[in-house]
Amino acid sequence: MLILSIKLLNYRSYYGSHAIEIAHDRAKNVTLIHGAMGAGKTKLFGSVQWCFYGEESYDEKGSLNKDIINSIALKESLNNSQSTVDVTVAFEHEGRQYRACRKFNAFNGVVESRVVFSLLRSLPSGDFESVDNPDLEMNAILSKNLRKYFMFDGEKIQGYVKHGHEIDVQKAIKGLLGLDDISRAVEILSRIDAEYNADIRRITSSRELQSIIDGVEAHKNTIFRTKKAIEECEAQIKEGLVLIQKLE
């Protein structure tokens, strides 16, 4: 994913319409945002996550709409008027351009609880098509559970390089590679296998076949116990690394 631009309308401290183009040239691809404390730098960063996932930060619960809308815009919605909160992020992914948009309205001082999320995807003709399931598509581009390893402020990077975080990073990489889906598929197939074996036991009278099934089950139990032992060792390693970090 390569973010191209961010557009804000009445989002948090950003009253009215604001837009920022993100540097994405091969030679010049760093964008610096400078501002005094409280100017809205963190809110700008949070707006991207809110646009993509409906949450402003990966480790916080979703904020209420009444807290997100700009206070001036909310006052302007009085007297039967409407104010809109809109965050639109344009980005490129695997050679195609996307426009993600999340918005809601306030009318006559009342903030709507309903939030609309839409995602447009570019076509070879240069036009854009609407994605039928925008949340699913967005999660496929960058998983909601993995975004903290790609979208974080500079302070949090210190935590990622500390002892004790290695196992979490390993799990994140597995998720990014789709290995979590494979693991779930294996679990489902294992349950189906167990059901078939149970059916075979009921309908067959062959002692040889029963013996084979018993042997397979014994090997499966050994594998299960070994996996549990590995998980326990990983947990102990993580605790040890955290202790080493504290002693250092």
Side-chain angles (χ1 to χ4, degrees):
M1 176 194 289
L2 182 65
I3 295 179
L4 306 175
S5 66
I6 306 170
K7 295 182 180 179
L8 308 177
L9 175 64
N10 297 326
Y11 175 84
R12 292 288 186 176
S13 58
Y14 292 90
Y15 169 65
S17 180
H18 301 264
I20 179 171
E21 299 294 324
I22 305 299
H24 53 273
D25 183 80
R26 287 186 177 274
K28 299 179 179 180
N29 51 24
V30 176
T31 300
L32 297 178
I33 299 175
H34 175 74
M37 183 175 294
K41 301 185 297 298
T42 301
K43 297 305 179 186
L44 176 63
F45 173 70
S47 71
V48 177
Q49 299 199 52
W50 182 78
C51 176
F52 288 164
Y53 307 105
E55 297 176 0
E56 294 180 297
S57 180
Y58 67 85
D59 56 0
E60 295 178 3
K61 295 182 179 179
S63 301
L64 298 176
N65 289 352
K66 66 180 182 64
D67 299 322
I68 293 176
I69 188 171
N70 179 271
S71 58
I72 299 176
L74 181 59
K75 290 180 180 179
E76 289 183 347
S77 72
L78 297 172
N79 301 321
N80 296 322
S81 298
Q82 176 176 290
S83 291
T84 300
V85 175
D86 184 324
V87 177
T88 300
V89 180
F91 63 92
E92 183 179 309
H93 179 69
E94 295 185 347
R96 303 184 72 172
Q97 291 195 10
Y98 291 81
R99 294 174 186 167
C101 174
R102 190 176 297 272
K103 63 182 180 179
F104 63 87
N105 299 314
F107 183 77
N108 201 24
V110 179
V111 181
E112 293 182 348
S113 58
R114 177 173 176 266
V115 179
V116 178
F117 177 61
S118 61
L119 186 64
L120 300 179
R121 179 175 53 206
S122 66
L123 297 171
S125 62
D127 296 327
F128 282 80
E129 64 176 354
S130 178
V131 177
D132 292 334
N133 194 327
D135 290 300
L136 183 64
E137 180 85 1
M138 190 69 243
N139 203 58
I141 293 172
L142 179 58
S143 171
K144 179 179 179 180
N145 296 329
L146 297 178
R147 72 187 192 272
K148 64 180 180 180
Y149 296 101
F150 297 90
M151 305 172 66
F152 54 85
D153 56 48
E155 296 174 352
K156 285 189 173 62
I157 197 171
Q158 297 178 5
Y160 295 153
V161 299
K162 289 182 178 179
H163 292 302
H165 204 77
E166 295 86 347
I167 295 176
D168 291 335
V169 174
Q170 291 174 9
K171 291 180 179 179
I173 293 173
K174 289 180 180 179
L176 182 63
L177 295 176
L179 298 181
D180 287 341
D181 294 333
I182 295 176
S183 298
R184 283 192 290 270
V186 170
E187 291 177 3
I188 293 172
L189 291 174
S190 296
R191 290 197 294 269
I192 295 174
D193 177 62
E195 292 174 1
Y196 274 115
N197 286 337
D199 291 338
I200 292 173
R201 288 180 184 276
R202 285 195 298 269
I203 65 178
T204 186
S205 59
S206 171
R207 291 184 178 180
E208 181 180 1
L209 186 55
Q210 293 279 3
S211 177
I212 292 173
I213 294 176
D214 290 339
V216 171
E217 290 299 323
H219 286 300
K220 287 181 179 178
N221 291 332
T222 300
I223 292 172
F224 177 79
R225 289 194 298 270
T226 303
K227 286 183 177 179
K228 285 294 183 182
I230 292 173
E231 292 175 358
E232 291 175 1
C233 289
E234 288 179 342
Q236 291 175 4
I237 291 171
K238 186 175 181 179
E239 292 176 0
L241 291 172
V242 171
L243 180 59
I244 292 172
Q245 179 65 30
K246 292 180 178 179
L247 294 175
E248 291 178 348

